[in-house]
Amino acid sequence: MVRALLHGEEGPADTVEERVCERIRTLAEAHVVRTGRRPGDLVSEIAARLGISQVWARKLLKGEKLPNVPLLHGLADFFDVVGGEVFFTAPAADALNRTLLPLLEKYENPASDPVQALLRKYGVRATDLRSHGCLTPEQLETLLEGVIKSVLPPEGGTAR
C-alpha cells in the first residue's frame, strides 16, 4: 500500500471503522513481537489500563471490535502513537504524509540537521558523510569537532 501511495495511486477504499480496527490490530501484533511478550499479557495489561474486561480487550486488539472515543484515547496513550487518535482514523495517504513530512523537512531545511549546523559552525562548506548514520549524534559531533580542530590553525598561528 505504501508503494502505491508513493506512486500517486489512491489509498484503499476503507471506512474509518476498518482503519481503526486494522491499526489497533497491527499495533498490538507489533507490540507483542517487539516486547517478546505473549498476546495474553498484552490483553491483561490493556484490560487493566483501560478498565475493561479481558474479553473486550482481546476483541479490540484482534481488530474485531471498534472502541469508543475514551478507549481509543487510552489505546493511543498506551501505544504512544504520534498524533493520538488521528493515528487510528486518518486515511492512508494522510497517515503516510504525517510520517514523511518531518523527513522531508529535514532535507529541505538542513538548518534543522545537527550535522549541518555543526559543519556551518566550523565553516565547512562540503563533506561526504554518507555513512554517518551508524554513529550517534554525540559520537559524530565529537568526531567532527576533533577533525575540524585538528586542521584549524592555533590561535594567533597560521594554517598548516
Side-chain angles (χ1 to χ4, degrees), residues 43-82:
V43 167
S44 296
E45 192 172 349
I46 290 289
R49 171 92 57 101
L50 301 180
I52 59 176
S53 72
Q54 288 200 11
V55 171
W56 186 249
R58 182 171 285 105
K59 288 183 180 201
L60 278 177
L61 296 175
K62 284 184 171 183
E64 297 171 355
K65 292 292 183 180
L66 185 67
N68 61 24
V69 174
L71 291 180
L72 191 61
H73 182 76
L75 290 168
D77 285 346
F78 179 85
F79 289 113
D80 194 28
V81 293
V82 176

